[in-house]
Amino acid sequence: MGKELPSTMIRSGVLPLWKNMGNSPLWGLFKSPRGIFKKDELGLEIAQIALPAALALTADPIASLVDTAFIGHIGPVELAAVGVAIAIINQASKVAIFPLVSVTTSFVAEEDAKGSSGAEYQETEMAEKQSASDNEKEQLIPKMEMTGGMGTKRHISSASSALLIGGALGLIQAVILICTAKPLLSYMGVKSDSPMLKPALKYLTLRSLGAPAVLLSLAMQGVFRGFKDTKTPLYATMVGDVANIILDPIFIFLFGLGVSGAAIAHVISQYLISLILMWRLMEQVNLLPPTIKDLQLSRFLKNGLLLLFRVIAATFCVTLAASLAAKLGSTSMAAFQICLQVWLATSLLADGLAVAGQAILANAFARNDYEKVMATASRVLQLSLALGLVLCIVVAIILQFSSRLFTDDINVLRLLQLGIPFVAVTQPINSLAFVFDGLNYGASDFTYSAYSMASL
């Protein structure tokens, strides 16, 4: 492990990240670009975490794109109304989701790494004491089981904390959105005389009922990410989103519920995802902490509040843009909604790399393995830049030919042609930004992430 370093240096990530980089730390993070796609141990570890995470992250925006496509064929007014409602839901959700998931991933990864290190140490100690009595060996075995060895339940207090906070935030969010739905829509430009008000109000109110499931499922995804397991969230998300896609035409067209049907289908899918994740998590983790103090609620809340400021700053621009588009009318709002959903679906692919970087870095920091910290940071940044350039080309080409999948309205299609270049050229910037965030979270440097975003 090497000599222990001051906890402040380890927590901030400053020393290990900038060590031996000379006068150009940024260039140091992009060193050795020839090995970007190398299939070594690190490359495979990144791929095993990033690919399922990316697919899981894009599954929900893709499901929203399907919603958008179905609703777009009802009419441009309904499409615009749902766009405004989704903008409000996204703003409310992101305020809670990103702090919760990011903090949970780092804390669980650290706690699991320390537990695994303890198990390895005890296993070595047992092998060296060949002359020990059977009673002495039996006393060591339970200690290994308490640290989360294979085949036993992990004792991760951070997981319990995440679920408790996620459930509480979900209930609070649902109550607030339902009670303030009409004023929020008015603030977004949907006034009492607007044709968008009625469908937007229906969709927003019904979708809000799924907030507890959304927050709980995201908290559990953070736990699985901390375990470097992104396959389980992927499977759960895919099952839920397939259910959403199947239920959409049934509720919207067969039952004649319109936008209300789309909202109901989405809520059902979110509760299904939450149930699947809870079932899998209970098989792996003992969710009852020994004492209340083990929950570390103050640590969660402190770092969560820091990221809260960051998320508010980051999402303010999107919400403001949606508000301005809504004030221009249903046509502009419909075009904006399609561009936004495409931007989210493609940009979040890079967040898979961010998840991989965060989980691996948090684990490596807990083990004081700073060589792996540096290698991981360099590799995921290089991969993010390559991904961003590919997405730029793909979005520019595909969106040109797929616009009619979302709407047949000529005016909306005309505005889409103006928005496509902006969606495309921002992809490399988005990819790098997502991964830099993941690296900061992996170093538990939530303070820097919050202040740097707020200062912009």
Side-chain angles (χ1 to χ4, degrees):
M1 291 292 183
K3 185 178 179 182
E4 289 290 328
L5 295 172
S7 60
T8 53
M9 290 184 175
I10 295 175
R11 291 265 57 80
S12 68
V14 173
L15 179 60
L17 278 180
W18 301 142
K19 187 179 179 182
N20 298 325
M21 284 189 178
N23 295 323
S24 183
L26 185 61
W27 176 254
L29 290 175
F30 289 95
K31 66 181 180 180
S32 304
R34 293 182 180 179
I36 181 174
F37 299 114
K38 189 176 180 182
K39 296 181 180 179
D40 54 5
E41 183 180 351
L42 177 60
L44 292 175
E45 185 177 12
I46 292 173
Q48 289 171 356
I49 299 173
L51 290 177
L55 292 174
L57 286 164
T58 54
D60 190 59
I62 289 174
S64 294
L65 279 175
V66 175
D67 277 349
T68 302
F70 281 124
I71 296 168
H73 288 286
I74 299 175
V77 173
E78 286 78 7
L79 178 60
V82 170
V84 177
I86 289 178
I88 294 173
I89 292 168
N90 286 343
Q91 173 69 18
S93 297
K94 287 177 182 178
V95 166
I97 285 174
F98 281 108
L100 178 62
V101 176
S102 299
V103 173
T104 299
T105 300
S106 293
F107 288 179
V108 170
E110 293 168 9
E111 198 170 344
D112 190 46
K114 291 174 182 177
S116 298
S117 298
E120 291 169 3
Y121 173 78
Q122 290 166 3
E123 196 170 31
T124 302
E125 186 178 282
M126 288 176 63
E128 291 175 349
K129 294 183 178 181
Q130 309 231 339
S131 60
S133 65
D134 291 339
N135 290 336
E136 291 173 330
K137 290 181 180 178
E138 288 175 1
Q139 291 174 356
L140 288 171
I141 293 173
K143 293 179 181 178
M144 290 177 59
E145 293 178 346
M146 289 296 289
T147 58
M150 293 302 292
T152 62
K153 287 190 176 183
R154 292 175 170 97
H155 292 263
I156 307 292
S157 60
S158 300
S160 304
S161 304
L163 292 182
L164 181 62
I165 295 173
L169 288 176
L171 290 172
I172 293 171
Q173 180 179 310
V175 171
I176 291 175
L177 286 178
I178 291 172
C179 294
T180 62
K182 197 166 184 179
L184 287 173
L185 288 170
S186 178
Y187 174 78
M188 292 291 290
V190 182
K191 303 300 182 182
S192 58
D193 58 345
S194 173
M196 292 187 286
L197 178 60
K198 188 175 180 180
L201 193 59
K202 286 181 180 180
Y203 190 87
L204 178 57
T205 303
L206 289 171
R207 273 285 300 269
S208 299
L209 296 175
V214 172
L215 270 295
L216 268 177
S217 65
L218 266 295
M220 289 184 281
Q221 286 191 40
V223 175
F224 282 110
R225 289 179 187 180
F227 294 152
K228 299 182 183 178
D229 175 10
T230 51
K231 292 182 180 179
T232 299
L234 171 61
Y235 296 148
T237 303
M238 287 181 65
V239 171
D241 286 342
V242 168
N244 185 25
I245 292 171
I246 294 173
L247 292 174
D248 260 341
I250 295 174
F251 285 125
I252 294 173
F253 302 113
L254 185 61
F255 293 167
L257 296 177
V259 295
S260 298
I264 293 171
H266 195 93
V267 169
I268 291 174
S269 72
Q270 291 302 321
Y271 277 97
L272 180 59
I273 293 171
S274 184
L275 287 173
I276 293 172
L277 289 174
M278 180 65 75
W279 168 57
R280 292 292 296 158
L281 188 61
M282 290 178 67
E283 291 182 339
Q284 301 181 34
V285 179
N286 186 350
L287 296 177
L288 295 177
T291 64
I292 297 297
K293 292 182 179 179
D294 291 324
L295 288 174
Q296 307 178 60
L297 293 177
S298 60
R299 188 183 178 206
F300 260 86
L301 294 174
K302 177 183 176 182
N303 290 284
L305 285 173
L306 286 171
L307 287 189
L308 176 61
F309 289 113
R310 182 203 173 281
V311 171
I312 291 173
T315 57
F316 175 77
C317 291
V318 176
T319 305
L320 178 61
S323 175
L324 293 174
K327 291 176 181 178
L328 291 175
S330 60
T331 301
S332 297
M333 186 61 217
F336 174 83
Q337 168 65 7
I338 294 172
C339 286
L340 179 61
Q341 291 301 321
V342 172
W343 181 85
L344 288 173
T346 55
S347 297
L348 285 176
L349 284 169
D351 212 17
L353 286 172
V355 170
Q358 180 184 2
I360 296 172
L361 254 69
N363 190 283
F365 271 125
R367 298 173 185 269
N368 293 347
D369 187 354
Y370 301 123
E371 288 185 6
K372 189 169 185 179
V373 168
M374 278 303 310
T376 302
S378 297
R379 187 73 65 89
V380 294
L381 281 169
Q382 293 162 11
L383 288 169
S384 71
L385 182 58
L387 175 63
L389 293 172
V390 170
L391 287 175
C392 178
I393 298 171
V394 170
V395 169
I397 295 174
I398 292 181
L399 198 54
Q400 289 283 350
F401 300 99
S402 61
S403 299
R404 289 189 176 274
L405 292 175
F406 303 103
T407 182
D408 296 322
D409 189 277
I410 297 176
N411 293 323
V412 175
L413 290 171
R414 179 177 56 81
L415 290 178
L416 273 179
Q417 296 304 311
L418 299 176
I420 289 172
F422 293 96
V423 177
V425 298
T426 55
Q427 296 304 314
I429 301 172
N430 295 336
S431 296
L432 284 172
F434 278 125
V435 171
F436 269 119
D437 279 341
L439 297 180
N440 282 318
Y441 300 158
S444 290
D445 198 351
F446 302 110
T447 303
Y448 176 78
S449 296
Y451 288 134
S452 60
M453 179 61 70
S455 65
L456 295 176

